[in-house]
Structure formats: structure tokens, C-alpha cells
Amino acid sequence: MTSPLPNSELTGAQTEVVDRAAAAIRQHAAECEAAQDVTPDAAQALSDSAYTRLAVPEDRGGLGANLSQFAQAQLTLGRADASLALILAMHGHVTGAAFQGRTLPEPLLHAVAEAGKRGELLNALASEPELGSPSRGGLPQTRAVPDATGFESGGWRITGRKTWSTGVRALRWALVTAATPDGQVGRYWVDLHGSGVRIEPTWQGALALRGSGSHDVVFTDAPSGLHAPPAPGQPASSAWFWTAIAATYLGVGFAALDAIATYARVRVPTALGAPIATLPRIQENVGRMVTSLQAARALLLDATAQWDVDPSAGSVPAIGAAKAHATNAAVFATDLASRTAGGAALSATLPLEKLLRDARAGLTHPPTDDTAYTTLGRLLLEE
């Protein structure tokens, strides 16, 4: 494997928007966690950060981040807070994959670029109550029918329900996966501030990512003037999505490392008379966390760098394995940090209980561990 490309580091303009987004996340994460939703102030701050321009190509008015740069950006945001970072991750992966893989027709690419330039957040809504995640196939129950009322030439009306709609109160646009009456599955551009759209609060009491407000969205004859017809899958879709997931949750693991390192330096038990950071067992645990997280980071950045060199199907399995390794490293790190802190980890005075919950959410995103490792192993064995 080769080293990351020279341009894998963030440019000055990219660093600026990442720093603004991270600051906005840190400022509003606690209020969103308490509200178990994205607050209006948080939504506005995410929009104002201009992070929505990160993956828009430069010739379309964006900052032109490649996959390695996107990975590094999401590592920073995930370290600030998983819930709000994931909202920006979803916008970034949809945008990056759309342009690099040409997964959308030109009118929709133009709409995505313009939304990004205006700071309007978007997400792809595909999961449903009965379908679950569409990653393993299945026909959505959400339906798209031709608009017979003259809404727009070639317009559609969308009816159905989508689940796990990350950050929906912060979103302006959605690419909604729906099936036509003859069973053709496409994606439809819907204004979430328009008619026929209702958010149903279903995320309260979630185990993890409480501040993401990943509620259900109910569509009832919601108008759509742009759509992407059925098309073969593109490697870019998996590459950008899996990178978004891997980097965001790996950032959670690094946040746990930060938290336990700070706690170990200031915690001075009476019987010890010194910070617990001086204890070999604490040092060993921190060393294990550092090794696991740094290895996962190196693997992810190597895999994304290979994609930047060769954005083809052959580069995707390494990213899938990096996702599996990164999310497991985050779970390991948050668990070991909690064990190291002991009973203090159960208190809200430390962020560890939240980080522990949030990290586990990374395991639920595709690809699953078995699929990721089997795909990479098969590729190598067939060479």
C-alpha cells in the first residue's frame, strides 16, 4: 500500500470551514442532547459554518475536498460530537458521491451544488419501518406517482414514511428513495419545508445519537420536480458513505481518549496521593487505546488515499474494512476508557457514558463486519 497523497491534507479554506463546523458542534451539542433533537440554533449554526461547501467541486463554487480530506474533516467533527457531526457527514457523503460518481443527473447535481453553496443541508432518506436499511435490497413502500395536477412538467408526488432521518429538523432537502407504480426505484428531490411533509418525533429516548433528531418523516403527496431514475450502483456511493461513518465514529473514540487522559491527570485518590495517570495499569490502558485508534486512523486514511489514486470498485473493499475496523476501535476505546475511569464513568460529569453509547451506533451502519472483511479477503484471494 502506498502513502497518502500530498493533497490529502486540508487546504486553508477547507480547514476554516471545518474549524467553524467543529466550533458550532461544540457550542450546541449539549443543548441538542438535552432536547433529544436538533435545536433551531444548532441547525442555523451548522448551516452558517459553510461546511456544506466542502465536497462541492471547485468549478461549482465549492471547496473540492477529495475522500481523504473528507475523512480528516469528519474525524475532527466526530471528536466534537457524534450527533451533529453525523448530520454534516450525511450531507458530505451524498454530495461527494454525487459528483465523483455522477450518481445523479445534471439537473440534480446543479441543485445539490447550489444547496451546498447556500448552506442548505440535505440527506438521502432511504430506510423504512418494514424495509429497514436498503443495503441488503428490497423494494421501498414509499411511492412516486406522476403529478397529474400540473405541478411541474415531469413532476412527481411522493407518499410514504422514512425512518432514521438523521438531522431532519436541520435539513432543507432530501433525496427520497421511492418506487414507481411499475416497480422502478428512483430518488426524488423533495423540499422538506414544502407541502406534504410531516416530521413525526420518534427519536426520544434513543440509546445513542440523541442530539441527531433522527425522526421519521411522513410524505403525503409531497411534490418533487427533480428525480434520479433507476441506475446501476456506483462505487463512489459506498466509498463516500463508509468513509463518512468510519471517520465520524473514530472521532468518538479519540474523544474518549481525550476524556480519560484529562481525568487521569487530575484524579488524585487520597490513598494514592498522586494522579492515577502515574499508575502502570492506567498507562497500559491508555496505550492500548492510542494504539487501536491510531491504527484505525492510519488504515482509513490509507484506504481513502488509495481511492483518491484509483476511484474504482477495486478500491472499495479496503474502505469497507476500514469502516469495520474504525467503528470497532471506537467501541473498544470508549469501553476501555469507561473501565479505566471506574464508577466516575457512569456520571454525567464525565462525557464517557455518552461517548460509550454513541460509539456503539457505528456498528449498526453498513457494511457489517462479516461483509466488510469477507469482501476484502475475497478480493485478495482472487488476485
Side-chain angles (χ1 to χ4, degrees):
M1 293 186 176
T2 62
S3 298
L5 295 176
N7 67 347
S8 64
E9 295 300 321
L10 297 177
T11 67
Q14 291 168 352
T15 299
E16 183 179 344
V17 300
V18 171
D19 288 347
R20 283 206 302 267
I25 288 171
R26 287 191 294 269
Q27 180 181 354
H28 295 283
E31 71 189 48
C32 291
E33 181 78 4
Q36 300 190 52
D37 211 338
V38 184
T39 64
D41 287 346
Q44 188 62 54
L46 295 180
S47 176
D48 290 345
S49 74
Y51 191 87
T52 53
R53 295 179 57 222
L54 184 72
V56 176
E58 291 181 326
D59 61 5
R60 304 253 187 171
L63 301 179
N66 62 26
L67 193 61
S68 298
Q69 291 165 332
F70 178 55
Q72 295 194 67
Q74 284 300 140
L75 276 164
T76 298
L77 301 192
R79 205 165 186 160
D81 175 68
S83 291
L84 299 184
L86 199 63
I87 298 170
L88 296 180
M90 296 299 101
H91 180 101
H93 96 76
V94 172
T95 302
F99 284 103
Q100 187 169 36
R102 308 297 294 183
T103 59
L104 300 174
E106 178 54 39
L108 261 176
L109 288 177
H110 177 74
V112 168
E114 292 302 303
K117 287 161 58 179
R118 293 190 298 264
E120 295 171 353
L121 285 158
L122 59 90
N123 196 357
L125 304 187
S127 298
E128 297 183 356
E130 289 77 22
L131 177 70
S133 168
S135 60
R136 294 189 181 272
L139 194 67
Q141 292 191 353
T142 301
R143 291 292 182 256
V145 298
D147 191 333
T149 64
F151 163 68
E152 279 189 29
S153 177
W156 298 80
R157 294 281 173 172
I158 312 302
T159 299
R161 175 187 289 265
K162 295 297 181 180
T163 59
W164 304 332
S165 305
T166 304
V168 63
R169 294 199 195 278
L171 305 181
R172 176 62 188 272
W173 304 100
L175 277 167
V176 182
T177 302
T180 59
D182 60 356
Q184 298 295 308
V185 179
R187 290 182 290 171
Y188 298 81
W189 185 248
V190 177
D191 183 352
L192 295 179
H193 293 182
S195 62
V197 179
R198 177 171 59 87
I199 298 171
E200 186 171 311
T202 54
W203 200 242
Q204 284 78 7
L207 174 66
L209 306 173
R210 292 174 180 171
S212 70
S214 300
H215 305 298
D216 285 11
V217 184
V218 179
F219 299 97
T220 305
D221 288 331
S224 172
L226 297 171
H227 86 291
Q234 292 291 333
S237 297
S238 294
W240 282 80
F241 179 66
W242 296 348
T243 296
I245 295 303
T248 302
Y249 288 102
L250 189 54
V252 176
F254 276 105
L257 175 62
D258 295 339
I260 192 60
T262 298
Y263 179 72
R265 294 186 186 105
V266 301
R267 170 61 176 155
V268 182
T270 302
L272 182 62
I276 62 172
T278 61
L279 296 174
R281 181 60 174 168
I282 302 298
Q283 296 165 356
E284 177 190 350
N285 286 357
V286 170
R288 289 178 180 275
M289 293 169 60
V290 171
T291 301
S292 177
L293 294 170
Q294 292 284 16
R297 182 181 185 276
L299 180 62
L300 174 62
L301 294 182
D302 189 271
T304 54
Q306 292 307 306
W307 170 268
D308 289 333
V309 172
D310 177 26
S312 68
S315 298
V316 172
I319 299 175
K323 177 269 173 186
H325 193 65
T327 50
N328 279 283
V331 170
F332 170 77
T334 55
D335 178 72
L336 187 55
S338 298
R339 291 170 183 262
T340 302
L346 304 179
S347 169
T349 58
L350 290 180
L352 292 175
E353 61 87 19
K354 177 181 182 299
L355 295 171
L356 182 67
R357 290 186 286 104
D358 285 348
R360 294 203 65 82
L363 303 177
T364 67
H365 298 278
T368 57
D369 290 1
D370 59 334
T371 298
Y373 293 130
T374 299
T375 302
L376 179 61
R378 181 186 306 117
L379 176 69
L380 296 177
L381 292 172
E382 290 176 349
E383 288 182 350

